[in-house]
């Protein structure tokens, strides 16, 4: 089936902004819980004497488990949506975080991140579906609000590390359990709305399907475009995981910074990524998805290449520029994939987000091994070259901007 087959049969509803914001807030809570893990790396390395490879393995288990399950959850819920899977998933994350607080060994940490990974795997495809259902004609905006929530949660991790985990240890992590409880309540209310929407669709006998901004494409062209998206996500996830999880060690070794100051710089990078993510979606509604993806490829490239060599004074400037520009396409790649296969909203969301998690997992363990074998400086220089792969975005099919 080509994209054109679906385009002529769909009626768009008005945006439901309160649901856009609510699911974005829950995404913030979900990703804050997940981001606690890499935020704890300096503490675990210091107090438990873990190697960089062991730290990478923790991140690998967390992200790979979530990565593998997400497209499975998306595929299943495309056939049979499960509104109340959302609060159930966050309950799993609550259990994982509780086990993490109580854990006293490396292997107990690995068990706790399995629960966190499962909760995240359930949340992301269904959360993206809620974002889609609430979007109406504002697909880019809705997905940006949703992804900004997640990226904001990730951006909080360095601050949590610097000002909560390092001073208070595992007891500091328990503060996030309060956020998790709030998230469970909000998701329960969202699930009730979600269920009502499904019942309304069933009564009207019209299934809500995404209108694609892409021209008619053959199955081969769709497959090629998805492959290119996977390459883009691989390079972007590998690079950003390196910055968020391991660049702090480079700052400590190369510039003689404290852990706290290093984590503040990582927060700067991630906070600017939130800004880029927010503006990327609405911008793609205006100028097209591919154009925004290309902007996120071409603009930050020279800054990525020179980051390992600049003096400390320029580091925050480059982190601001790279963080903003490389993440401007974060939500856009999800929407672009959904428009490639408009009949599989949950599957595409799970596949894109899950693949992003998976590549982050592989990037974490690979980066940790490189640092153990070749040292921190060599690893940072090697990874800085990786974003060159992003240039495959030039070959993505051209889409058209939404009409005002």
């Amino acid at each position: 089936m080509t994209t054109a087959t679906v385009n002529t049969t769909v009626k768009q509803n008005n945006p439901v902004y309160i649901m856009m914001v609510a699911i974005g807030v829950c995404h913030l809570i979900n990703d804050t819980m997940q981001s606690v893990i890499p935020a704890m790396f300096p503490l675990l390395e210091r107090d438990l004497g873990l190697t960089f490879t062991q730290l990478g393995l923790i991140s690998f288990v967390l992200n790979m488990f979530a990565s593998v399950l997400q497209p499975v959850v998306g595929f299943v819920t495309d056939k049979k949506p499960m509104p109340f899977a959302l609060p159930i998933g966050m309950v799993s994350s609550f259990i994982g975080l509780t086990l993490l607080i109580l854990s006293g060994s490396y292997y107990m940490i690995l068990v706790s991140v399995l629960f966190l990974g499962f909760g995240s795997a359930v949340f992301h495809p269904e959360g993206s579906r809620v974002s889609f259902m609430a979007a109406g004609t504002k697909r880019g905006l809705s997905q940006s609000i949703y992804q900004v929530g997640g990226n904001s949660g990730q951006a909080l991790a360095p601050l949590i590390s610097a000002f909560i985990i390092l001073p208070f240890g595992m007891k500091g992590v328990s503060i996030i359990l309060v956020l998790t409880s709030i998230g469970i309540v909000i998701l329960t209310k969202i699930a009730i709305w979600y269920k009502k929407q499904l019942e309304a669709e069933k009564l009207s006998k019209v299934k809500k399907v995404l209108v694609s901004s892409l021209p008619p494409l053959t199955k081969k062209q769709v497959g090629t475009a998805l492959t290119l998206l996977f390459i883009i996500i691989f390079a972007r996830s590998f690079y950003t995981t390196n910055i968020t999880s391991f660049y702090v060690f480079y700052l400590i070794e190369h510039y003689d910074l404290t852990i706290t100051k290093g984590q503040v710089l990582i927060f700067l990078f991630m906070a600017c990524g939130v800004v880029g993510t927010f503006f990327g979606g609405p911008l793609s509604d205006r100028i097209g998805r591919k154009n925004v993806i290309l902007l996120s490829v071409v603009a930050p490239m020279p800054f990525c290449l020179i980051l390992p060599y600049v003096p400390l004074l320029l580091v925050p400037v480059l982190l601001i520029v790279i963080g903003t520009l490389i993440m401007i396409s974060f939500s856009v790649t999800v929407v672009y994939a959904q428009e490639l296969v408009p009949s599989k909203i949950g599957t595409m969301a799970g596949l894109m987000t899950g693949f992003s998690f998976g590549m982050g997992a592989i990037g974490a363990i690979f980066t940790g091994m490189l640092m153990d074998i070749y040292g921190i400086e060599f690893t940072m220089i090697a990874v800085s070259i990786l974003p060159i792969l992003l240039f495959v975005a030039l070959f993505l099919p051209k889409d058209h901007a939404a009409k005002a």
Side-chain angles (χ1 to χ4, degrees), residues 337-394:
Q338 290 175 329
E339 293 183 347
L340 282 169
V341 190
S343 61
K344 300 291 183 184
I345 300 301
T347 303
M348 287 300 102
L351 198 59
M352 292 297 109
T353 311
F355 189 76
S356 178
F357 276 46
M359 290 304 98
I362 293 171
I365 195 165
F366 185 75
T367 301
M369 290 173 65
L370 277 180
M371 290 173 68
D372 279 334
I373 297 170
Y374 297 106
I376 297 172
E377 187 165 353
F378 172 86
T379 303
M380 293 301 113
I381 293 171
V383 175
S384 70
I385 303 170
L386 194 65
I388 291 174
L389 286 176
L390 293 170
F391 276 113
V392 299
L394 292 167

Side-chain angles (χ1 to χ4, degrees), residues 97-395:
L97 200 59
T98 303
L99 289 175
L100 180 67
I101 294 168
L102 299 175
S103 65
S105 69
Y106 176 65
Y107 295 103
M108 192 64 178
I109 292 172
L110 292 178
V111 171
S112 70
V113 300
L114 286 176
F115 281 92
L116 284 164
F118 177 78
S120 183
V122 171
F123 174 83
H124 281 96
E126 285 296 84
S128 188
R129 192 190 308 278
V130 170
S131 172
F132 164 67
M133 295 177 80
T137 57
K138 302 291 185 181
R139 276 297 296 139
L141 174 63
S142 185
Q143 189 64 215
S144 277
I145 291 172
Y146 175 66
Q147 297 294 357
V148 158
N151 288 358
S152 298
Q154 294 170 24
L156 289 173
L159 297 185
I160 291 170
S161 174
F163 300 109
I164 296 178
I165 295 176
L166 286 174
F168 303 107
M170 286 294 186
K171 292 180 180 179
V173 182
S174 61
I175 296 172
I176 303 168
L177 287 175
V178 178
L179 276 179
T180 312
S181 301
I182 294 170
I184 293 170
V185 173
I186 298 174
L187 283 174
T188 301
K189 294 183 179 295
I190 290 173
I192 294 170
W193 175 84
Y194 180 0
K195 185 179 179 182
K196 289 179 180 178
Q197 292 298 111
L198 292 174
E199 290 171 350
E201 286 179 14
K202 188 176 181 180
L203 288 173
S204 66
K205 298 181 181 180
V206 175
K207 185 178 180 180
K208 189 176 181 184
V209 183
L210 177 60
V211 174
S212 177
S213 64
L214 288 158
L217 300 172
T218 65
K219 288 184 178 180
K220 183 177 180 181
Q221 288 173 319
V222 170
T224 300
L226 286 174
T227 301
L228 295 175
L229 282 180
F230 287 144
I231 295 172
I232 292 167
I233 292 170
F234 160 73
R236 186 183 65 201
S237 298
F238 204 108
Y239 182 81
T240 55
T241 296
N242 174 67
I243 296 293
T244 57
S245 295
F246 292 102
Y247 186 62
V248 64
F249 296 107
Y250 183 76
L251 292 170
I252 294 168
E253 180 183 271
H254 193 75
Y255 299 106
D256 200 28
L257 294 184
T258 63
I259 295 176
T260 300
K261 289 180 179 179
Q263 293 287 24
V264 169
L265 287 178
I266 302 304
F267 166 75
L268 187 64
F269 170 83
M270 299 177 79
C272 290
V274 173
V275 174
T277 298
F278 177 76
F279 286 106
L283 185 62
S284 75
D285 285 338
R286 289 180 173 272
I287 69 172
R289 319 293 183 208
K290 179 178 178 179
N291 288 334
V292 171
I293 294 172
L294 285 175
L295 176 64
S296 75
V297 167
V298 176
M301 190 68 62
F303 303 103
C304 293
L305 292 172
I306 66 172
L307 179 62
Y309 308 102
V310 298
L312 180 60
L313 189 65
L314 291 179
V315 167
V317 177
L318 265 61
L319 289 177
I320 289 171
V321 174
I322 296 170
T324 303
L325 293 174
I326 205 168
M327 296 302 289
I328 204 169
S329 67
F330 190 87
S331 63
V332 180
T333 50
V334 176
V335 176
Y336 190 94
Q338 290 175 329
E339 293 183 347
L340 282 169
V341 190
S343 61
K344 300 291 183 184
I345 300 301
T347 303
M348 287 300 102
L351 198 59
M352 292 297 109
T353 311
F355 189 76
S356 178
F357 276 46
M359 290 304 98
I362 293 171
I365 195 165
F366 185 75
T367 301
M369 290 173 65
L370 277 180
M371 290 173 68
D372 279 334
I373 297 170
Y374 297 106
I376 297 172
E377 187 165 353
F378 172 86
T379 303
M380 293 301 113
I381 293 171
V383 175
S384 70
I385 303 170
L386 194 65
I388 291 174
L389 286 176
L390 293 170
F391 276 113
V392 299
L394 292 167
F395 303 102

